[in-house]
Amino acid sequence: MKRLRMVPNLITCNTLLNSLGSTPSTRSSDLCKELLNDALKIGFKPNVNTFNILMRGYCLEHKFENAIELLNTMQDFDCQPDNVSYNTLLNALCKKGQLNKVRDLLLDMKSRGLTPNRNTYNILVDGYCKMGWLKDAAQVIEVMTHNGLLPNIWTYNILIHGLCNKGRIDEALKLRDEMEGLKLCPDVVTYNTLINGCFQINRSSDAFKLLEEMKGKGLKPVEVTHNVVLKWYCKEGKMREASDALRIMEEDNLSPDCMTFNTLINAYCKAGNLAEVFKMMNKMGCKGLKMDTVSLNTFLHSLCQERRLAEAYELLTTASKRGYVVDEVSYGTLIVGYFKDENADRAIKLWDEMKEKNIIPSIFTYNSLIGGLCKIGKTEQAIGKLNELLENGLVPNEITYNSIIHGFCWEGNIERAFHFHNKMLENSFKPDIFTCNILLRGLCREQMLEKALKLFDTWISKGKVLDSVTYNTLIGALCREGRLEDALGLVAEMQEKKLGPDSYTYNALTGAFVDAGREDQVEELISKLTDRGIALQQVIEIKKGDVISESSDYLDPSSILYSEQITDLCTEGRFKDAMQLFGEFIQKGIAIQKSAYIALISGLIKRRKSIRSAHVLQWFFELKEAHSIIASSL
DNA sequence: GTAGGGTTAG
């Protein structure tokens, strides 16, 4: 530009800011701010777009305070916020569930004489749908229509998504029909949403039917469509099909993306197949795809599950240096990990660390902390956190309330549990199956079995949907009281409703039979079980318990030696050598241990260090260069 | 606007 004697203008600056701010990486919004300051020094006059771009950057990093501050300083530069400014902020706030800020902002918007446009309404509809408040969402649409703005395809897709998330697929399908009547053609997004919705409630044949229907209408499946199907295979544990789906995707000339790989990595992690995890991560790298926050969090979770808290913590605290954006999920994952490891102090400390880093927790992460506190008998402290989140304008959900009810029950304070439950009922809290089971278990623990049975009967007569946990809770309690015949009565009832019996039921029953000196009947029970092959397998697994998980790492002695070599190299940071050694072992057909795979996977994650820092530096260079060009051309 | 990571009960 300089050579051509062209002067960079506002558009140059905005474009630069846009590309810099829209890639969420560490400190990208800070870099934007720096760039703007530099530009201001040179005498640039920002326009409303400049500010909107910066606000979007802040929102991407959930720095709402900064974004709002920017909104209020625009006037100093002769700019007035427009609908885009407000919509940007509203959208981000809705996504984080910060409803009180949304309300304030809408009032603020009104006071400036701006009227919500269709995007604004759609953002609000989405916000309510994400909270699961479909009635409120419908109300927004009414207001919208009243103000002369008709719902468009986005509005419908948002609503369909909201219904699918609640498992109300049939209503979602009706909306699709309604769309067609209004000549708003359902598009790829509509179908992806519906297909995903069907899978979520295990209606896979409907999902595949929709996939065919979609193709029949000339709508070509896109990456998301494939990712949805692949996710279903993963959920079903059909990893063969999942990896086939990956291949098919490539054959269809669609490129698998981070989502695709993260889905697979997560599934392999959960299956304990670290060899495949490693393979997938490697493949990602070969395709030029960078691992992101989700990949990181998946692995953090995996480490926590393995109770390798020290390694998880190390990874968490060094991740941002490696160019990863650490988020509330990363922290939440470790907080749960520490609570499960009975290290509540570290969990709470981590929460404070997160806050110090200005990472804003959503209700999800609050629930992790509250749940942990309740499990260690610190319900009072948990209520303190509940109040805190309310003050922050977050809305608690069923999980929040259930955790606290569980906390009271666990402390043996049944009265307070019910009292809290009743008070929450007045606050639009809808008890779910978890609530029922928690209360039931609470009563049973406190020797109030009669009350529990009575409550159960009222639920039955009200036609409430109960599950196997409900039955097992009562069966277990009856067994402990030696009321075997009553327990067997419930087993029969459970069987009638096709809810079991399952391994929990059998464990309760066998224990009770043995205690009653009726070992012979245990035999009978076991033989009944043999007809239900899977259940027996489960019982055996539960009996063996920890032994299985401990020994799953067992391999022959030589492989232990080889594995140690790999681990050692990784610890020394000699990742390349470790990889080479690994390659040799694979060729020789030597299997390596889980721990060695973990070392290799960490290596892959850590390797991002060089890539990322080079990346950031490059940005910086370009930035400085842009600056000098701007400066010298003036 | 759709797809990936984490939170509640036996």
Side-chain angles (χ1 to χ4, degrees):
Chain A
M1 274 176 104
K2 194 183 167 190
R3 206 174 50 232
L4 293 172
R5 296 193 174 276
M6 283 166 78
V7 180
N9 58 11
L10 199 56
I11 295 175
T12 326
C13 186
N14 285 352
T15 310
L16 201 53
L17 283 172
N18 199 19
S19 49
L20 198 52
S22 58
T23 343
S25 73
T26 39
R27 291 187 59 239
S28 60
S29 65
D30 292 341
L31 289 175
C32 282
K33 192 88 190 286
E34 228 173 277
L35 178 70
L36 178 71
N37 284 338
D38 283 355
L40 288 174
K41 271 186 220 149
I42 312 163
F44 258 125
K45 278 205 162 198
N47 66 357
V48 65
N49 287 345
T50 318
F51 286 102
N52 288 346
I53 290 165
L54 284 165
M55 276 173 55
R56 199 168 69 99
Y58 278 132
C59 286
L60 276 173
E61 294 177 23
H62 304 119
K63 294 179 177 168
F64 303 131
E65 305 287 321
N66 296 6
I68 292 172
E69 198 189 306
L70 215 52
L71 188 85
N72 293 325
T73 50
M74 279 167 84
Q75 285 108 316
D76 303 346
F77 297 89
D78 293 328
C79 296
Q80 289 301 323
D82 59 6
N83 276 59
V84 178
S85 327
Y86 279 96
N87 287 350
T88 305
L89 249 166
L90 285 169
N91 190 30
L93 290 170
C94 277
K95 286 215 162 63
K96 269 271 186 178
Q98 308 233 358
L99 284 197
N100 64 338
K101 291 212 178 85
V102 167
R103 194 199 47 216
D104 292 348
L105 213 60
L106 278 171
L107 289 173
D108 186 43
M109 187 175 175
K110 227 176 187 175
S111 73
R112 281 187 207 266
L114 287 169
T115 38
N117 60 16
R118 191 141 59 180
N119 286 348
T120 321
Y121 285 113
N122 281 342
I123 288 165
L124 294 176
V125 173
D126 193 32
Y128 280 129
C129 280
K130 289 221 159 70
M131 309 278 300
W133 300 356
L134 298 186
K135 278 189 188 145
D136 299 83
Q139 229 165 36
V140 174
I141 295 178
E142 252 174 56
V143 176
M144 177 180 175
T145 317
H146 185 79
N147 289 330
L149 295 167
L150 288 178
N152 60 4
I153 189 158
W154 287 57
T155 324
Y156 272 95
N157 284 345
I158 291 165
L159 264 181
I160 286 174
H161 185 220
L163 285 165
C164 285
N165 269 348
K166 288 239 154 186
R168 291 158 64 175
I169 195 81
D170 294 317
E171 290 162 78
L173 288 166
K174 264 194 205 127
L175 272 187
R176 179 211 43 186
D177 298 339
E178 192 179 305
M179 277 170 91
E180 281 169 339
L182 291 170
K183 298 235 161 62
L184 288 170
C185 278
D187 64 1
V188 145
V189 176
T190 321
Y191 276 99
N192 289 344
T193 311
L194 286 167
I195 291 168
N196 186 46
C198 285
F199 280 136
Q200 263 173 356
I201 53 165
N202 296 325
R203 276 166 58 172
S204 56
S205 58
D206 288 334
F208 287 116
K209 250 185 244 161
L210 280 165
L211 186 62
E212 289 311 310
E213 182 184 313
M214 168 184 175
K215 287 180 192 161
K217 286 191 175 169
L219 289 169
K220 275 195 104 169
V222 293
E223 280 86 349
V224 178
T225 326
H226 285 263
N227 286 345
V228 166
V229 177
L230 191 138
K231 182 183 71 170
W232 165 249
Y233 287 133
C234 285
K235 188 184 166 197
E236 284 282 281
K238 293 179 174 164
M239 294 314 292
R240 271 300 289 260
E241 282 86 343
S243 80
D244 280 347
L246 178 68
R247 197 176 37 78
I248 291 167
M249 215 171 152
E250 287 173 314
E251 283 169 7
D252 278 1
N253 274 331
L254 294 168
S255 32
D257 52 16
C258 269
M259 296 254 189
T260 323
F261 284 107
N262 283 338
T263 309
L264 286 163
I265 288 169
N266 185 40
Y268 284 127
C269 267
K270 294 225 159 87
N273 189 346
L274 293 186
E276 283 299 321
V277 173
F278 174 71
K279 230 176 168 176
M280 289 299 124
M281 284 182 158
N282 217 5
K283 197 167 175 186
M284 252 177 116
C286 294
K287 284 186 173 292
L289 290 168
K290 287 200 190 77
M291 280 182 270
D292 60 6
T293 309
V294 176
S295 331
L296 173 77
N297 291 343
T298 304
F299 196 56
L300 282 175
H301 185 241
S302 195
L303 283 172
C304 287
Q305 293 264 298
E306 301 249 337
R307 292 223 171 180
R308 304 168 81 125
L309 272 305
E311 286 159 84
Y313 184 76
E314 205 246 355
L315 186 56
L316 176 78
T317 46
T318 56
S320 55
K321 276 184 231 149
R322 306 183 197 289
Y324 288 98
V325 178
V326 173
D327 67 0
E328 54 159 330
V329 180
S330 326
Y331 276 93
T333 304
L334 257 88
I335 286 170
V336 171
Y338 275 125
F339 272 122
K340 286 210 172 119
D341 203 40
E342 292 169 356
N343 197 342
D345 292 341
R346 289 301 296 271
I348 294 164
K349 212 178 133 211
L350 215 53
W351 174 268
D352 297 333
E353 265 177 57
M354 175 179 79
K355 289 254 178 148
E356 273 164 31
K357 291 223 155 93
N358 283 324
I359 295 174
I360 303 167
S362 67
I363 188 62
F364 207 109
T365 309
Y366 261 105
N367 283 345
S368 301
L369 180 71
I370 288 173
L373 288 169
C374 288
K375 275 203 194 92
I376 57 164
K378 295 192 171 172
T379 317
E380 219 47 63
Q381 217 176 318
I383 290 192
K385 291 293 164 194
L386 172 62
N387 286 326
E388 183 187 302
L389 76 87
L390 285 166
E391 277 163 26
N392 289 341
L394 290 176
V395 183
N397 57 22
E398 283 73 19
I399 296 179
T400 327
Y401 292 129
N402 287 339
S403 296
I404 287 174
I405 293 171
H406 183 240
F408 283 133
C409 287
W410 207 84
E411 288 173 10
N413 206 336
I414 290 293
E415 266 174 56
R416 252 194 111 178
F418 272 95
H419 184 243
F420 186 82
H421 165 263
N422 293 337
K423 263 202 115 164
M424 291 309 116
L425 283 183
E426 297 162 13
N427 268 313
S428 79
F429 162 57
K430 298 215 172 31
D432 57 14
I433 185 74
F434 282 85
T435 325
C436 294
N437 292 337
I438 289 165
L439 287 170
L440 215 56
R441 172 79 179 126
L443 287 170
C444 291
R445 280 172 82 104
E446 296 304 310
Q447 266 81 71
M448 295 192 240
L449 182 52
E450 281 318 311
K451 272 197 179 161
L453 289 166
K454 223 172 177 177
L455 195 58
F456 173 77
D457 283 339
T458 59
W459 288 339
I460 293 279
S461 60
K462 277 185 194 163
K464 221 175 171 75
V465 180
L466 302 168
D467 66 2
S468 63
V469 180
T470 323
Y471 279 92
N472 284 334
T473 305
L474 286 175
I475 290 165
L478 286 166
C479 283
R480 278 190 293 277
E481 298 256 315
R483 291 167 61 177
L484 276 176
E485 303 316 317
D486 291 336
L488 287 171
L490 278 183
V491 175
E493 201 176 308
M494 184 183 193
Q495 204 151 13
E496 245 170 63
K497 294 188 176 170
K498 296 206 187 334
L499 293 173
D502 62 17
S503 51
Y504 285 96
T505 328
Y506 287 120
N507 274 345
L509 288 173
T510 46
F513 275 122
V514 172
D515 287 345
R518 289 158 68 173
E519 280 90 349
D520 49 322
Q521 275 172 294
V522 176
E523 299 273 328
E524 198 183 307
L525 204 62
I526 297 283
S527 70
K528 263 193 205 162
L529 264 172
T530 333
D531 306 332
R532 308 168 53 89
I534 304 158
L536 182 61
Q537 189 68 32
Q538 282 174 339
V539 173
I540 292 168
E541 271 179 28
I542 282 179
K543 291 248 157 82
K544 281 188 185 171
D546 292 343
V547 187
I548 281 189
S549 60
E550 281 299 314
S551 63
S552 62
D553 229 19
Y554 177 79
L555 293 152
D556 69 81
S558 64
S559 109
I560 294 177
L561 196 72
Y562 293 131
S563 300
E564 271 173 10
Q565 286 177 24
I566 289 183
T567 317
D568 289 346
L569 285 171
C570 288
T571 334
E572 287 170 31
R574 292 165 62 188
F575 185 65
K576 254 191 167 169
D577 295 334
M579 284 290 277
Q580 200 185 345
L581 202 61
F582 172 72
E584 285 169 22
F585 290 164
I586 291 294
Q587 281 219 317
K588 288 182 193 159
I590 298 167
I592 64 162
Q593 278 179 300
K594 220 178 192 175
S595 53
Y597 271 117
I598 291 189
L600 281 171
I601 290 167
S602 314
L604 275 179
I605 289 188
K606 288 176 185 169
R607 206 169 54 163
R608 247 188 74 145
K609 189 178 182 178
S610 52
I611 303 167
R612 282 311 299 196
S613 52
H615 191 66
V616 171
L617 266 178
Q618 197 189 332
W619 267 121
F620 218 80
F621 266 129
E622 280 167 23
L623 203 125
K624 288 290 166 200
E625 212 177 320
H627 180 199
S628 65
I629 292 171
I630 293 167
S632 63
S633 53
L634 279 170

